[in-house]
Amino acid sequence: MTEPAIPRHTPGAPCWVSLMVHGLAATQDFYRALFGWEFRPGPGQLGPYVRAVLDGKEVAGIGQLPPDRHLPVAWTPYFATEDADVTAESIRSHGGTIGVGPLDADHAGRMAIGSDPSGAVFGIWQAAAHLGTAIAGTHGTPAWNELMTRETATVSKFYQAVFGYEVEPDASADPDDYLTLRLEGRPVAALRGVGKALPRDRGPHWMTYFEVEDTDASARTVQELGGHVLQAPEEGPNGRVATVADPEGAVFTIVRSTR
């Protein structure tokens, strides 16, 4: 019996998350212990790179920065596109920038890394052999992506223009400046305006949420493994959440979802 084919991600939908670090082996050990990930080699155009897998299905990527590159260590979401070159040009024409690519990643697909007009970094992915994250809804899988920015009014127009999102204000959200991004009526990501609460050392950035079985237990595990709990576990609108950082400082949110 053959496994069902992995469906292609809708253009504009988050399809992958990737992390660039200085210590690849130590980072693999951290996420293996936290999420149960195993690893297999991935495309190496930008240096050593591995793909994390759960039950044989790929969920995320981790690469190694060159020793002389002192870039922020952060999780980066990738959004699906049917044509990376066209989307890259659209990003530029609507006030964003392209820092890497577009370029081919072996036979896996074509990618670029850019930033929106506020400076928040994200990637785009034109799938070929590699379609992106292939499993969801279980411990260790990406669950959600949120842009943390000063205000959403301006930047929402950029994401609407580039990816064709429908934008829906959420009156029940806290804070009030919260927009849900939808594709074909389905929520795929969100923009959260936090004003002066935005960390000065990070600026606008995308926050990746990972599903966990037990938020409190996972937060304790993060600390035991040398990471940090930045926001203690608490109940949120869609589950119990905590904001944490791995030993190299990559910030992410863990959530026991109630969706």
Side-chain angles (χ1 to χ4, degrees), residues 118-120 147-150 198-206:
S118 75
L147 175 65
M148 312 298 288
T149 189
R150 290 183 180 84
L198 193 70
R200 290 186 178 181
D201 59 339
R202 297 196 67 197
H205 61 277
W206 279 95

Side-chain angles (χ1 to χ4, degrees), residues 133-195:
T133 301
I135 184 174
T138 190
H139 182 85
T141 58
W144 187 243
N145 289 281
E146 252 178 31
L147 175 65
M148 312 298 288
T149 189
R150 290 183 180 84
E151 54 84 24
T152 64
T154 303
V155 77
S156 65
K157 295 181 175 63
F158 168 83
Y159 286 99
Q160 280 181 286
V162 173
F163 295 114
Y165 295 131
E166 307 141 24
V167 176
E168 178 184 65
D170 189 342
S172 66
D174 183 19
D176 293 336
D177 190 8
Y178 187 91
L179 301 176
T180 299
L181 304 179
R182 294 178 177 270
L183 287 172
E184 300 171 352
R186 179 174 63 92
V188 295
L191 311 180
R192 183 183 291 268
V194 297

Side-chain angles (χ1 to χ4, degrees), residues 121-141:
V121 175
F122 63 92
I124 55 174
W125 181 253
Q126 178 186 334
H130 172 64
L131 299 184
T133 301
I135 184 174
T138 190
H139 182 85
T141 58

Side-chain angles (χ1 to χ4, degrees), residues 171-242:
S172 66
D174 183 19
D176 293 336
D177 190 8
Y178 187 91
L179 301 176
T180 299
L181 304 179
R182 294 178 177 270
L183 287 172
E184 300 171 352
R186 179 174 63 92
V188 295
L191 311 180
R192 183 183 291 268
V194 297
K196 294 182 179 179
L198 193 70
R200 290 186 178 181
D201 59 339
R202 297 196 67 197
H205 61 277
W206 279 95
M207 174 74 76
T208 296
Y209 287 60
F210 290 95
E211 184 95 16
V212 293
E213 293 174 350
D214 184 321
T215 305
D216 295 74
S218 292
R220 289 193 294 271
T221 300
V222 167
Q223 290 181 304
E224 291 165 1
L225 295 170
H228 304 279
V229 175
L230 306 179
Q231 181 178 325
E234 63 180 6
E235 295 300 326
N238 298 304
R240 190 162 178 80
V241 299

Side-chain angles (χ1 to χ4, degrees), residues 8-89:
R8 282 185 174 270
H9 292 270
T10 304
C15 63
W16 189 243
V17 290
S18 191
L19 175 65
M20 299 298 290
V21 298
H22 297 286
L24 183 57
T27 299
Q28 289 179 79
D29 290 342
F30 173 86
Y31 287 101
R32 182 184 290 110
L34 180 63
F35 291 145
W37 288 351
E38 295 301 330
F39 298 92
R40 62 174 60 145
Q45 277 89 341
L46 302 179
Y49 188 85
V50 295
R51 292 182 182 145
V53 297
L54 282 172
D55 298 325
K57 295 182 173 62
E58 295 173 341
V59 294
I62 304 176
Q64 183 162 305
L65 289 164
D68 59 342
R69 296 295 297 276
H70 301 288
L71 299 174
V73 176
W75 280 101
T76 301
Y78 282 69
F79 300 93
T81 177
E82 293 181 330
D83 190 319
D85 294 82
V86 170
T87 301
E89 185 53 40

